[in-house]
mmCIF file of all heavy atoms in Angstrom:
data_model
loop_
_atom_site.group_PDB
_atom_site.id
_atom_site.type_symbol
_atom_site.label_atom_id
_atom_site.label_comp_id
_atom_site.label_asym_id
_atom_site.label_seq_id
_atom_site.Cartn_x
_atom_site.Cartn_y
_atom_site.Cartn_z
ATOM 1 N N TYR A 115 1.434 46.222 -75.716
ATOM 2 C CA TYR A 115 2.481 45.211 -75.561
ATOM 3 C C TYR A 115 3.373 45.462 -74.356
ATOM 4 O O TYR A 115 4.384 44.814 -74.190
ATOM 5 C CB TYR A 115 3.350 45.163 -76.825
ATOM 6 C CG TYR A 115 2.529 44.989 -78.070
ATOM 7 C CD1 TYR A 115 2.500 45.972 -79.045
ATOM 8 C CD2 TYR A 115 1.769 43.841 -78.240
ATOM 9 C CE1 TYR A 115 1.736 45.808 -80.181
ATOM 10 C CE2 TYR A 115 0.995 43.675 -79.374
ATOM 11 C CZ TYR A 115 0.984 44.662 -80.343
ATOM 12 O OH TYR A 115 0.224 44.505 -81.462
ATOM 13 N N VAL A 269 40.122 49.807 -96.627
ATOM 14 C CA VAL A 269 39.094 49.613 -97.658
ATOM 15 C C VAL A 269 39.744 49.183 -98.974
ATOM 16 O O VAL A 269 39.277 48.248 -99.640
ATOM 17 C CB VAL A 269 38.266 50.901 -97.854
ATOM 18 C CG1 VAL A 269 37.258 50.718 -98.992
ATOM 19 C CG2 VAL A 269 37.543 51.277 -96.565
ATOM 20 N N VAL A 276 39.227 40.902 -102.144
ATOM 21 C CA VAL A 276 37.980 40.199 -102.499
ATOM 22 C C VAL A 276 37.558 40.366 -103.956
ATOM 23 O O VAL A 276 36.724 39.596 -104.438
ATOM 24 C CB VAL A 276 36.820 40.647 -101.573
ATOM 25 C CG1 VAL A 276 37.176 40.422 -100.123
ATOM 26 C CG2 VAL A 276 36.449 42.117 -101.806
ATOM 27 N N LEU A 286 45.400 48.080 -109.066
ATOM 28 C CA LEU A 286 46.864 48.112 -109.030
ATOM 29 C C LEU A 286 47.435 49.055 -110.085
ATOM 30 O O LEU A 286 48.421 49.757 -109.839
ATOM 31 C CB LEU A 286 47.411 46.700 -109.221
ATOM 32 C CG LEU A 286 47.049 45.712 -108.101
ATOM 33 C CD1 LEU A 286 47.405 44.291 -108.501
ATOM 34 C CD2 LEU A 286 47.744 46.087 -106.803
ATOM 35 N N LEU A 306 50.592 49.843 -99.507
ATOM 36 C CA LEU A 306 51.086 49.435 -100.822
ATOM 37 C C LEU A 306 51.750 48.060 -100.758
ATOM 38 O O LEU A 306 51.567 47.222 -101.650
ATOM 39 C CB LEU A 306 52.077 50.479 -101.343
ATOM 40 C CG LEU A 306 52.364 50.487 -102.849
ATOM 41 C CD1 LEU A 306 51.091 50.731 -103.643
ATOM 42 C CD2 LEU A 306 53.394 51.553 -103.184
ATOM 43 N N ASP A 312 49.208 40.656 -101.849
ATOM 44 C CA ASP A 312 47.982 39.959 -102.243
ATOM 45 C C ASP A 312 47.829 39.852 -103.757
ATOM 46 O O ASP A 312 46.819 39.332 -104.233
ATOM 47 C CB ASP A 312 46.757 40.683 -101.663
ATOM 48 C CG ASP A 312 46.671 40.552 -100.151
ATOM 49 O OD1 ASP A 312 47.255 39.592 -99.613
ATOM 50 O OD2 ASP A 312 46.038 41.405 -99.502
ATOM 51 N N ASN A 327 61.141 54.348 -110.439
ATOM 52 C CA ASN A 327 61.396 55.386 -109.429
ATOM 53 C C ASN A 327 62.255 54.858 -108.281
ATOM 54 O O ASN A 327 62.233 55.411 -107.178
ATOM 55 C CB ASN A 327 60.064 55.898 -108.876
ATOM 56 C CG ASN A 327 59.218 56.590 -109.924
ATOM 57 O OD1 ASN A 327 59.460 57.739 -110.267
ATOM 58 N ND2 ASN A 327 58.225 55.890 -110.454
ATOM 59 N N ILE A 392 77.001 44.324 -108.848
ATOM 60 C CA ILE A 392 76.989 45.362 -107.808
ATOM 61 C C ILE A 392 78.360 45.478 -107.152
ATOM 62 O O ILE A 392 78.908 46.576 -106.982
ATOM 63 C CB ILE A 392 75.916 45.044 -106.738
ATOM 64 C CG1 ILE A 392 74.521 45.029 -107.353
ATOM 65 C CG2 ILE A 392 75.980 46.061 -105.597
ATOM 66 C CD1 ILE A 392 73.429 44.560 -106.400
ATOM 67 N N GLU A 440 94.370 52.677 -93.445
ATOM 68 C CA GLU A 440 93.260 53.610 -93.230
ATOM 69 C C GLU A 440 92.152 52.997 -92.371
ATOM 70 O O GLU A 440 91.393 53.723 -91.719
ATOM 71 C CB GLU A 440 92.659 54.037 -94.575
ATOM 72 C CG GLU A 440 93.573 54.870 -95.450
ATOM 73 C CD GLU A 440 94.426 54.004 -96.374
ATOM 74 O OE1 GLU A 440 94.549 52.779 -96.095
ATOM 75 O OE2 GLU A 440 94.964 54.544 -97.360
ATOM 76 N N ARG A 459 91.371 33.884 -94.360
ATOM 77 C CA ARG A 459 91.747 32.690 -93.599
ATOM 78 C C ARG A 459 90.879 31.493 -93.982
ATOM 79 O O ARG A 459 91.374 30.369 -94.086
ATOM 80 C CB ARG A 459 91.636 32.980 -92.097
ATOM 81 C CG ARG A 459 92.768 33.852 -91.556
ATOM 82 C CD ARG A 459 92.816 33.810 -90.037
ATOM 83 N NE ARG A 459 91.635 34.435 -89.451
ATOM 84 C CZ ARG A 459 91.560 35.718 -89.124
ATOM 85 N NH1 ARG A 459 92.588 36.526 -89.351
ATOM 86 N NH2 ARG A 459 90.464 36.207 -88.579
#
Side-chain angles (χ1 to χ4, degrees):
Y115 307 116
V269 176
V276 304
L286 296 169
L306 199 60
D312 291 337
N327 296 282
I392 298 173
E440 293 90 342
R459 285 195 293 269

